[in-house]
Amino acid sequence: MKTVTMVAPVNIAVIKYWGKRDEELILPINDSISGTLSTDFMCAKTTIQASPQFKENKFWLNGKEQNFDSPRLDSCLKEVKRRASPSCPILNWKIAICSENNFPTAAGLASSAAGYACLVAALAKLYKIEGDISSIARRGSGSACRSIYGGWVQWIKGDRPTGEDSIAIQLAPVAHWPEMRVLILVVNDERKKYSSTSGMKKSVETSDLLKYRASECVPKRVEAMKEAIFRKDFESFAKITMEDSNQFHAICLDTFPPCVYMNDTSHSISDVVHTYNECKSSNRVAYTFDAGPNACIYLLESETEEFLSVINYVFPPSSNTGYLKGLQVRQKPINKELEMMFQEKKHRPGALKYIIHTKIGDGPRMVEDSLLNDAGLPKNL
Amino acid sequence: MKTVTMVAPVNIAVIKYWGKRDEELILPINDSISGTLSTDFMCAKTTIQASPQFKENKFWLNGKEQNFDSPRLDSCLKEVKRRASPSCPILNWKIAICSENNFPTAAGLASSAAGYACLVAALAKLYKIEGDISSIARRGSGSACRSIYGGWVQWIKGDRPTGEDSIAIQLAPVAHWPEMRVLILVVNDERKKYSSTSGMKKSVETSDLLKYRASECVPKRVEAMKEAIFRKDFESFAKITMEDSNQFHAICLDTFPPCVYMNDTSHSISDVVHTYNECKSSNRVAYTFDAGPNACIYLLESETEEFLSVINYVFPPSSNTGYLKGLQVRQKPINKELEMMFQEKKHRPGALKYIIHTKIGDGPRMVEDSLLNDAGLPKNL
């Protein structure tokens, strides 16, 4: 019997991936760039056990048994086994997979990216794969390829129809920009969310603007963003991040019928960020929104206390316990000048569910405590 | 003393105007197309009086005296006088202008288009101008040029730097498509609205996608829309109308900082329209949104009762009186099949303020009852 347990991070794109040129191989129409988040507060954890005793393959996700015959799981597993040495002794053993997220899936955060990165990293370890595995993770969920590396990561779209050049590379490690912090503002929302897979498919089919974005806008932005990250130029980083988030949601709206992911609270957060930056006469804070209403805020450590004082003022918690999860900071009241700017923007308590405060972190890593017992069954069922 | 009183209509664009190539002359970066609404329920009304007795020019708008030295009023007046015969006896008399809208300005509906069309039509009558006056109305407010004609109207962007070829033309008169109806769904909204003048200026300065929209997308859509109107092809008309509204709001979101005009209620209306059309397996109803949260719905007379039954069900009025203004229809309850589709989309009462039901109508016309008394003062002050 052989067991591997790993954790893998979430990543938050600052240049967005939206649109596939190949649905089957999950090949994107443009490059994207993301920051990888620390696994301390948000991660996927996966145990894979291989045993000659197992009669069949099994898969549990967040405590619920899943059908093993998923095309995406299947293509990851096939590709890992293809790359394994033919002499690998466990290649024909059946496996049990158990995977969990340590953050609420209800938050609508990029859980599939962390999940597939974790699965593929664990499979690669189990079957002793060498070399880049980001193109395998990509087959599970496109943006999962970026969670294979820590720090700042670029997913290069590649040109070949086979997809082997569509891989993630690390632009800079965590230590390059240690001051960077991230706030996830989890928005209370009742709206039914449409999947990003079907949304981006519809965009490719119907949005005229998406073609122009992918071919003309994104290539320039990718270069400018790499430059901003290399030079640790927060001002430029913030502007490009917000512009690209807005353009992505513009494309969603240009889709027919439109995909609307941001709601009024999301737009209020964007407005708070712009107002805050105007007060400071520079871009101190950047928002970005994925395929859901939650905001992800990038900012430097030096700005966190003050910006959090504004968020707490504009979006008061409905109860005082557990509103700020993750890294803790000194809670300070909003200052008079900012209060004047924001007093007409105050929301009813509870417009935000909670806030996760985290930072940039490393890629997947092995851990000790297995999610499966020796019988190949989840310890927590 | 000489007095002219006119009424002029609102128009609702189906191919949107967004972005000027010349701020001073109000020259657009793309053509646009609109339907002119009946003056029965929504119009501007303007009286202009010229008298050798008047000591100075005066201007009242909705009962409040305005500064006469507005650059836009000034350029309309100058252009009309330039085109008048030099022998016109009243050319040097001072004038009093009094203008009113018969619909709430709070509704955030295109009141400036109707207002400037009315002003210019009245000035043209007063000073006996011959020929096209749409290029003069354009100097007051861009989209006002389209309110100079009834029925279906195209504003041709023109190519000359002087702007004399940037004019409106009638594509088809009211009688061409007499079945067409319009519902204005007035959305309750507290958000402060930014002006379309500053919004479109920011879009021209910051949106990469706008250049592509104006040069590549709109020209094709204008041709397809003209074809749809000529052939009375509602299916195509509806699709292009919705696509162009969505693309316009996509451009607003691609603007930096973004201009957000639609709110959650607006998006719910869009969703109701798409769901309704899906139920009917064809585009029976089309939405379009201008620079504000209110929806304008185009639909044929045969569809009004049923679609209104859905709107009344999804957006129940907060009180039963005065919810439906304008053309009255038989109120019928929603049928069972539609109720099943919409029961999870129901809003709290009052999400919509009220509905105006109207139709396509004619251009500006003279009327009798003056807004000014013989002393050149507003009758209602």
Side-chain angles (χ1 to χ4, degrees):
Chain A
M1 189 177 78
K2 186 115 199 293
T3 307
V4 171
T5 301
M6 297 201 81
V7 293
V10 166
N11 72 77
I12 303 285
V14 291
I15 301 289
K16 301 296 188 192
Y17 154 52
W18 196 252
K20 298 183 182 74
R21 64 179 202 274
D22 186 312
E23 291 280 330
E24 163 84 29
L25 295 171
I26 310 192
L27 300 177
I29 58 173
N30 57 253
D31 287 19
S32 52
I33 295 178
S34 55
T36 295
L37 303 191
S38 165
T39 52
D40 291 354
F41 311 110
M42 297 167 76
C43 69
K45 184 176 176 182
T46 302
T47 296
I48 308 186
Q49 209 168 80
S51 163
Q53 251 76 60
F54 292 166
K55 296 276 188 298
E56 51 179 351
N57 292 321
K58 290 271 197 179
F59 177 29
W60 290 268
L61 177 61
N62 292 321
K64 282 192 190 144
E65 187 161 2
Q66 311 287 313
N67 193 341
F68 206 92
D69 295 331
S70 126
R72 290 182 167 208
L73 171 56
D74 197 52
S75 52
C76 290
L77 192 55
K78 273 208 184 107
E79 188 59 20
V80 168
K81 289 193 170 184
R82 197 183 64 78
R83 296 251 306 260
S85 158
S87 64
C88 174
I90 65 170
L91 215 49
N92 293 316
W93 294 1
K94 300 288 180 194
I95 58 175
I97 304 174
C98 185
S99 193
E100 281 177 5
N101 299 318
N102 73 341
F103 56 95
T105 9
L109 298 158
S111 51
S112 66
Y116 276 105
C118 206
L119 174 83
V120 169
L123 286 171
K125 192 68 76 181
L126 189 74
Y127 297 111
K128 298 196 192 326
I129 299 293
E130 301 288 314
D132 173 80
I133 56 168
S134 70
S135 65
I136 310 177
R138 192 201 73 225
R139 300 289 301 271
S141 173
S143 55
C145 72
R146 295 188 311 241
S147 278
I148 292 295
Y149 298 101
W152 300 93
V153 180
Q154 179 178 5
W155 176 8
I156 297 168
K157 73 180 184 68
D159 296 310
R160 293 190 214 159
T162 50
E164 75 260 35
D165 59 346
S166 187
I167 58 168
I169 59 167
Q170 188 183 63
L171 295 173
V174 184
H176 170 69
W177 208 347
E179 306 87 356
M180 188 64 87
R181 295 292 176 274
V182 172
L183 300 170
I184 313 285
L185 309 186
V186 179
V187 170
N188 248 328
D189 185 54
E190 290 134 40
R191 193 154 54 195
K192 206 166 68 189
K193 176 179 176 296
Y194 7 51
S195 84
S196 49
T197 299
S198 65
M200 70 175 77
K201 187 158 184 282
K202 258 200 308 179
S203 292
V204 170
E205 287 162 5
T206 64
S207 169
D208 287 337
L209 300 181
L210 179 53
K211 299 161 190 63
Y212 185 75
R213 161 173 166 77
S215 64
E216 301 296 319
C217 304
V218 173
K220 285 177 205 147
R221 268 187 197 159
V222 163
E223 291 314 305
M225 179 56 88
K226 282 163 71 174
E227 188 65 21
I229 291 171
F230 293 151
R231 291 172 44 220
K232 299 174 61 177
D233 171 359
F234 189 85
E235 176 75 25
S236 304
F237 169 87
K239 181 156 190 278
I240 305 165
T241 296
M242 293 187 281
E243 283 174 341
D244 202 66
S245 173
N246 292 338
Q247 187 169 88
F248 154 49
H249 290 280
I251 296 299
C252 293
L253 207 47
D254 187 52
T255 298
F256 195 79
C259 295
V260 181
Y261 291 115
M262 295 172 73
N263 67 13
D264 285 350
T265 308
S266 314
H267 289 295
S268 294
I269 295 168
S270 149
D271 178 54
V272 164
V273 169
H274 284 294
T275 306
Y276 186 85
N277 288 340
E278 263 167 46
C279 283
K280 302 290 179 182
S281 305
S282 68
N283 292 326
R284 302 288 184 89
V285 177
Y287 57 77
T288 183
F289 294 84
D290 282 327
N294 301 324
C296 174
I297 305 286
Y298 279 101
L299 75 179
L300 298 179
E301 188 186 13
S302 52
E303 212 67 29
T304 51
E305 277 184 21
E306 186 147 43
F307 185 70
L308 274 170
S309 80
V310 172
I311 290 296
N312 276 305
Y313 177 80
V314 178
F315 300 101
S318 54
S319 90
N320 270 321
T321 55
Y323 194 51
L324 184 66
K325 301 175 194 292
L327 295 167
Q328 294 301 305
V329 297
R330 198 163 54 102
Q331 299 267 352
K332 73 178 207 184
I334 191 167
N335 74 36
K336 282 289 160 215
E337 185 206 354
L338 289 169
E339 189 173 356
M340 291 275 288
M341 292 296 297
F342 287 100
Q343 62 192 357
E344 284 180 7
K345 298 181 192 282
K346 280 194 82 158
H347 282 62
R348 57 172 175 71
L352 292 187
K353 264 190 210 142
Y354 56 85
I355 300 165
I356 306 173
H357 180 199
T358 181
K359 57 186 179 177
I360 300 297
D362 290 314
R365 68 172 203 284
M366 280 239 291
V367 293
E368 286 305 310
D369 48 330
S370 170
L371 295 171
L372 295 166
N373 63 26
D374 288 349
L377 291 171
K379 290 179 178 170
N380 308 314
L381 251 199
Chain B
M1 189 175 79
K2 189 125 195 290
T3 306
V4 171
T5 301
M6 296 201 81
V7 293
V10 166
N11 72 78
I12 303 285
V14 291
I15 302 288
K16 300 296 188 192
Y17 153 52
W18 195 253
K20 298 183 182 75
R21 62 179 205 274
D22 186 312
E23 292 280 330
E24 163 83 28
L25 295 171
I26 311 191
L27 300 177
I29 58 174
N30 57 253
D31 288 19
S32 52
I33 295 178
S34 55
T36 295
L37 304 191
S38 165
T39 52
D40 290 354
F41 311 110
M42 298 168 76
C43 69
K45 183 175 177 183
T46 301
T47 296
I48 307 185
Q49 208 169 81
S51 163
Q53 251 75 59
F54 292 165
K55 296 278 187 301
E56 50 178 354
N57 291 322
K58 291 271 197 180
F59 178 29
W60 289 269
L61 177 61
N62 291 321
K64 281 194 190 141
E65 187 160 3
Q66 311 286 312
N67 191 342
F68 207 91
D69 294 333
S70 126
R72 291 182 167 208
L73 170 57
D74 198 52
S75 51
C76 290
L77 192 56
K78 273 209 183 104
E79 189 58 20
V80 169
K81 288 193 170 183
R82 196 183 65 77
R83 297 249 306 259
S85 158
S87 63
C88 173
I90 65 170
L91 214 49
N92 293 316
W93 295 0
K94 300 288 181 194
I95 58 174
I97 304 174
C98 185
S99 193
E100 279 178 5
N101 299 318
N102 74 340
F103 57 95
T105 8
L109 298 158
S111 51
S112 66
Y116 276 106
C118 206
L119 174 83
V120 168
L123 285 171
K125 192 68 75 180
L126 188 74
Y127 296 113
K128 299 196 191 331
I129 299 292
E130 301 289 315
D132 174 80
I133 57 169
S134 70
S135 65
I136 310 178
R138 193 199 74 226
R139 301 288 302 271
S141 173
S143 55
C145 72
R146 294 188 312 241
S147 279
I148 291 296
Y149 298 101
W152 300 94
V153 182
Q154 177 177 6
W155 175 9
I156 297 167
K157 72 178 183 67
D159 296 308
R160 294 192 213 158
T162 50
E164 75 259 35
D165 59 346
S166 188
I167 57 168
I169 58 165
Q170 188 183 62
L171 295 174
V174 183
H176 170 68
W177 209 348
E179 308 85 356
M180 187 65 86
R181 294 291 177 272
V182 172
L183 300 170
I184 313 285
L185 310 186
V186 179
V187 169
N188 248 328
D189 185 53
E190 289 134 41
R191 192 154 56 195
K192 207 166 68 189
K193 176 178 178 295
Y194 9 49
S195 83
S196 48
T197 299
S198 65
M200 70 174 75
K201 189 157 183 283
K202 260 201 306 178
S203 292
V204 170
E205 287 161 6
T206 65
S207 169
D208 287 338
L209 300 181
L210 179 53
K211 297 162 191 61
Y212 186 75
R213 161 175 166 76
S215 65
E216 302 295 320
C217 304
V218 174
K220 283 176 206 149
R221 270 188 196 156
V222 163
E223 289 316 305
M225 179 56 88
K226 282 163 70 174
E227 188 64 22
I229 292 170
F230 293 150
R231 291 173 42 221
K232 298 175 62 178
D233 170 0
F234 190 85
E235 176 76 26
S236 304
F237 169 86
K239 182 156 189 279
I240 306 166
T241 295
M242 293 187 280
E243 283 174 341
D244 202 66
S245 173
N246 292 338
Q247 186 169 90
F248 153 49
H249 290 280
I251 296 300
C252 292
L253 207 46
D254 188 52
T255 299
F256 195 79
C259 295
V260 181
Y261 292 114
M262 293 171 74
N263 67 14
D264 285 350
T265 307
S266 315
H267 288 296
S268 295
I269 295 167
S270 148
D271 179 54
V272 164
V273 169
H274 284 294
T275 307
Y276 186 86
N277 288 340
E278 263 167 48
C279 283
K280 302 290 180 182
S281 305
S282 68
N283 292 325
R284 301 289 183 90
V285 177
Y287 56 77
T288 183
F289 293 86
D290 283 326
N294 301 326
C296 174
I297 305 287
Y298 278 101
L299 76 179
L300 297 180
E301 188 185 12
S302 52
E303 212 67 30
T304 51
E305 276 184 24
E306 184 147 45
F307 185 70
L308 275 169
S309 80
V310 171
I311 291 296
N312 276 306
Y313 176 78
V314 178
F315 300 101
S318 53
S319 90
N320 269 322
T321 54
Y323 193 52
L324 184 65
K325 301 175 195 290
L327 295 167
Q328 294 300 306
V329 297
R330 198 164 55 104
Q331 299 268 350
K332 72 178 206 184
I334 190 168
N335 74 36
K336 281 288 158 215
E337 186 206 354
L338 289 169
E339 187 172 358
M340 292 275 288
M341 292 297 295
F342 288 100
Q343 63 192 357
E344 283 178 11
K345 299 183 191 282
K346 280 195 81 158
H347 283 62
R348 58 173 174 72
L352 293 186
K353 264 190 211 143
Y354 56 85
I355 299 164
I356 306 173
H357 179 199
T358 181
K359 57 185 181 178
I360 301 296
D362 290 313
R365 69 172 202 282
M366 280 239 290
V367 292
E368 285 305 310
D369 48 330
S370 169
L371 296 169
L372 294 167
N373 63 25
D374 287 350
L377 291 171
K379 290 179 180 171
N380 307 312
L381 253 198

